[in-house]
Amino acid sequence: MKARVTIMLKDGVLDPQGEAIRHALGGLGHKDVSGVRQGKLIELDLTATDADAARAEVEAMCKGLLANTVIEKYSIEIA
């Protein structure tokens, strides 16, 4: 199975890298961009065969290491 974890800063948390991207895009002539939030995408290859068990394992990975749950939110896709 494959798992895809998307991690983003929570709403209201300052995103200086996203702001730098927005500023750079403006400098390149893309003036219609009013905000940018950047994040991380992590793809995992799992040996699990049960989707529910895989999701639970990835959830534990997110809480234990992959995401800083104080300032970040995440979503999990299992395929």
Side-chain angles (χ1 to χ4, degrees), residues 8-9 13-28 30-39:
M8 300 290 294
L9 289 170
V13 175
L14 183 64
D15 185 351
Q17 189 171 1
E19 182 57 24
I21 293 167
R22 186 202 59 76
H23 181 73
L25 288 171
L28 292 172
H30 303 286
K31 304 292 185 190
D32 289 336
V33 178
S34 62
V36 174
R37 303 288 284 177
Q38 68 85 37

Side-chain angles (χ1 to χ4, degrees), residues 32-77:
D32 289 336
V33 178
S34 62
V36 174
R37 303 288 284 177
Q38 68 85 37
K40 299 180 276 190
L41 174 65
I42 300 171
E43 292 185 344
L44 303 164
D45 292 323
L46 306 171
T47 58
T49 56
D50 177 62
D52 291 335
R55 180 174 297 281
E57 184 175 4
V58 174
E59 183 83 29
M61 292 177 198
C62 289
K63 290 178 180 176
L65 175 69
L66 300 179
N68 177 348
T69 57
V70 173
I71 61 169
E72 294 175 321
K73 59 186 177 182
Y74 59 88
S75 63
I76 300 169
E77 296 174 48

